Amino acid sequence: MRVLQAEDEPVARRLTEAVVRDLGHECQSVVDGAQAWEAFLAHRPDVVISDWMMPGLSGLDLCRRIRAHATEPYAYVVMVTRQGRRAQVVEGMTAGADDYLVKPLDRAALGARLLAAERVTVLHRQLSDQRAQLEETNLELAAMTLRDPLTGLPNRRALHDDLDLLEARVARYGQRYCIALLDVDHFKTYNDTYGHQAGDRVLQAVARELRSQARRGDVVYRYGGEEFLCVFPEQTLATAAIAVERMRSGVEGLAVSHADGLVATVRISAGLAMFDPEHKRPVEEVLKDADDALYRAKQLGRNRVERASLRVVSIGPVPQTSNVGRVAAVDRTPWRERTP
Amino acid sequence: MITMPQRSPPPPASRILDEAVIAGLGGLGEDLLTELISLYFEQAAEHLIALGAAIGRDDPPAVSRTAHALRGSSSTLGAERVARLAGELETMGNSGDLTAADGALTRLVDGINATSGALRGRSARCTPTP
């Protein structure tokens, strides 16, 4: 171990140094508390053996400073007091000392202290290693819980966290977002016909396509089942609709092959809503709007993009190139209670 | 039957040296012991000079501080008598009354000389004669 000794009395200092080295440890000696503090910061010793009475910074103050610093690795502090100073022992231990020695120095006593110090510092080191490992594992686990293992997309849990953030940004910075809900058409039939593994491959292919169509800053989530959600920052409904339409048409162009050699066509429907500072409302309402628009898209024949029209003031020009932008009467029944 | 009370052993403070301490230090090697002893006397000489000066200018805190340091190194080396005599001066310094300090300093000088003699005698006993 690396031992730092603070002792102003030369004979005791030389003696401690000799005993510590004789016991197989390194020893650095300083003559007062201030030097000890500097040496502590510079060299991070495993053990600090400090005399109680020193000019300037006392042993007690030194001990308090070391503990207030709260560093890794743990420093084992031994306070050295004169015989018959029991009150000092208690005060020193209260200040954070691990052990004490009584002067004049006894070789066996110092040896015993260093054995205890070794044991405790090893334990502290193991603990701090384990803590570091745990933190790493926790980070990995946290990352895992935020990602959908099948598609590699951020999952609904991640979305939940991100939506809080979005809500705050809309409220505080006046930012605007469009949110699209996208659903694979006839996925249940597909699953029933080709099996779950084929269904999983479709979801993976759709996820890849959505991600490749998304621009930097757009985020695609797996919302659940065969549903995806996309967040478009700083977009109007009109511009976001173009992006979603690109996604829809990209998915339509996908060729998902099957074991039997057949190639299936996959299509998606999408509902789009806007979240903006002019219309302050909880993000749940925006999701509801997107969900309603998606329902409309399903009702109007699927494989299309619908925009929410309620509560939206400024809608950009509607592109004429596709079936984007057709708005039907809004059905306010929650989407989950209906059949797709 | 009447028994005479046992004679109590002489108070340990009257010893010049605590041989057990010296023997313990000797366990770390004679070289280290020799080094510690010479370090001790170097320090003791400085302390004596400082004590004389502090008593001369009637500076009780300085007397107390210096005597405390000398007492410390004396205990480390097992120099019991010097430790006790330095302790007397420390007490005087703490009390602020240095009227008896001159006498105490003289006894301290004698004590250090006696310690020196005892340590020499010890090393003569330990060192094999050619």
Side-chain angles (χ1 to χ4, degrees):
Chain A
M1 291 185 294
R2 286 173 307 143
V3 179
L4 170 67
Q5 174 199 197
E7 171 66 66
D8 59 328
E9 201 269 283
V11 180
R13 188 166 63 236
R14 179 70 189 93
L15 177 58
T16 301
E17 205 172 76
V19 173
V20 169
R21 288 188 182 141
D22 192 52
L23 291 166
H25 305 290
E26 290 172 42
C27 188
Q28 183 187 6
S29 299
V30 294
V31 302
D32 60 37
Q35 278 188 21
W37 177 239
E38 272 176 39
F40 174 82
L41 291 178
H43 305 293
R44 292 299 152 88
D46 303 300
V47 183
V48 177
I49 301 175
S50 173
D51 192 28
W52 184 277
M53 285 218 354
M54 287 185 295
L57 192 69
S58 77
L60 189 67
D61 293 336
L62 175 67
C63 179
R64 288 201 178 109
R65 240 187 232 195
I66 289 174
R67 286 297 173 250
H69 202 61
T71 50
E72 306 260 356
Y74 185 77
Y76 192 88
V77 177
V78 181
M79 296 293 300
V80 182
T81 71
R82 291 259 156 231
Q83 222 151 21
R85 302 275 170 92
R86 279 176 184 279
Q88 280 187 354
V89 169
V90 176
E91 202 181 347
M93 302 289 267
T94 308
D98 297 282
D99 210 336
Y100 69 99
L101 271 171
V102 177
K103 270 187 174 178
L105 186 78
D106 176 72
R107 185 171 184 257
L110 176 54
R113 264 43 173 211
L114 289 178
L115 276 178
E118 196 146 35
R119 210 165 285 153
V120 171
T121 49
V122 163
L123 278 175
H124 270 284
R125 209 136 299 164
Q126 282 173 353
L127 266 179
S128 95
D129 285 353
Q130 280 171 3
R131 199 179 308 135
Q133 262 178 7
L134 260 180
E135 270 168 27
E136 205 173 297
T137 311
N138 279 342
L139 281 178
E140 282 168 20
L141 282 176
M144 274 168 70
T145 59
L146 296 177
R147 206 154 279 281
D148 168 46
L150 179 69
T151 60
L153 293 177
N155 61 14
R156 192 168 186 143
R157 197 190 177 107
L159 174 71
H160 187 266
D161 294 349
D162 294 352
L163 285 181
D164 284 347
L165 213 68
L166 287 188
E167 209 166 28
R169 283 185 184 154
V170 169
R172 192 164 308 153
Y173 306 115
Q175 293 180 354
R176 142 205 340 245
Y177 295 89
C178 281
I179 291 177
L181 269 177
L182 310 100
D183 188 274
V184 180
D185 293 334
H186 300 299
F187 185 72
K188 191 179 179 308
T189 316
Y190 187 93
N191 241 356
D192 292 346
T193 313
Y194 297 103
H196 284 282
Q197 287 189 330
D200 282 353
R201 278 199 301 279
V202 164
L203 292 176
Q204 286 171 329
V206 169
R208 260 197 310 276
E209 181 61 22
L210 295 183
R211 192 145 57 175
S212 78
Q213 294 290 350
R215 291 157 302 189
R216 273 163 76 96
D218 299 347
V219 188
V220 184
Y221 301 84
R222 184 171 178 204
Y223 195 52
E226 66 272 30
E227 259 187 303
F228 297 88
L229 184 145
C230 193
V231 173
F232 303 96
E234 295 299 316
Q235 301 283 313
T236 62
L237 270 179
T239 54
I242 295 168
V244 181
E245 171 54 23
R246 204 171 47 230
M247 288 175 165
R248 187 205 59 76
S249 105
V251 170
E252 196 175 13
L254 283 178
V256 183
S257 51
H258 298 285
D260 57 10
L262 290 174
V263 176
T265 309
V266 182
R267 297 192 174 91
I268 54 169
S269 300
L272 185 60
M274 187 160 70
F275 192 21
D276 66 348
E278 290 89 49
H279 305 86
K280 286 210 177 70
R281 53 195 179 131
V283 69
E284 288 75 21
E285 272 185 34
V286 183
L287 287 177
K288 174 76 169 55
D289 283 358
D291 205 22
D292 289 342
L294 172 61
Y295 178 70
R296 265 194 331 272
K298 293 278 183 187
Q299 289 217 313
L300 291 169
R302 300 187 172 84
N303 191 27
R304 59 196 290 134
V305 180
E306 287 295 322
R307 303 189 230 166
S309 57
L310 273 189
R311 288 174 280 197
V312 175
V313 178
S314 56
I315 300 177
V318 178
Q320 300 302 310
T321 48
S322 74
N323 46 2
V324 171
R326 280 177 217 153
V327 178
V330 174
D331 178 355
R332 305 302 303 176
T333 321
W335 164 249
R336 303 290 152 217
E337 292 168 19
R338 307 178 211 130
T339 46
Chain B
M1 195 172 106
I2 299 164
T3 52
M4 292 295 287
Q6 289 276 308
R7 179 189 277 271
S8 55
S14 70
R15 285 187 299 184
I16 295 173
L17 284 177
D18 183 339
E19 287 292 341
V21 173
I22 294 286
L25 295 177
L28 290 162
E30 282 297 318
D31 285 353
L32 177 67
L33 182 56
T34 309
E35 188 191 334
L36 290 176
I37 289 171
S38 72
L39 199 55
Y40 169 70
F41 283 113
E42 257 172 52
Q43 290 294 310
E46 280 178 26
H47 288 145
L48 284 181
I49 292 166
L51 279 171
I55 293 168
R57 62 173 188 270
D58 193 29
D59 183 352
V63 169
S64 166
R65 212 165 41 239
T66 313
H68 176 86
L70 179 57
R71 184 163 69 87
S73 58
S74 301
S75 315
T76 302
L77 217 61
E80 271 188 14
R81 182 177 292 174
V82 179
R84 180 175 55 83
L85 294 167
E88 283 175 14
L89 268 171
E90 189 182 348
T91 310
M92 288 176 197
N94 287 339
S95 75
D97 177 10
L98 295 184
T99 45
D102 273 326
L105 183 60
T106 308
R107 286 195 298 281
L108 183 61
V109 173
D110 290 345
I112 287 176
N113 285 331
T115 306
S116 173
L119 283 170
R120 260 200 306 277
R122 185 195 160 278
S123 81
R125 277 201 308 280
C126 292
T127 314
T129 42

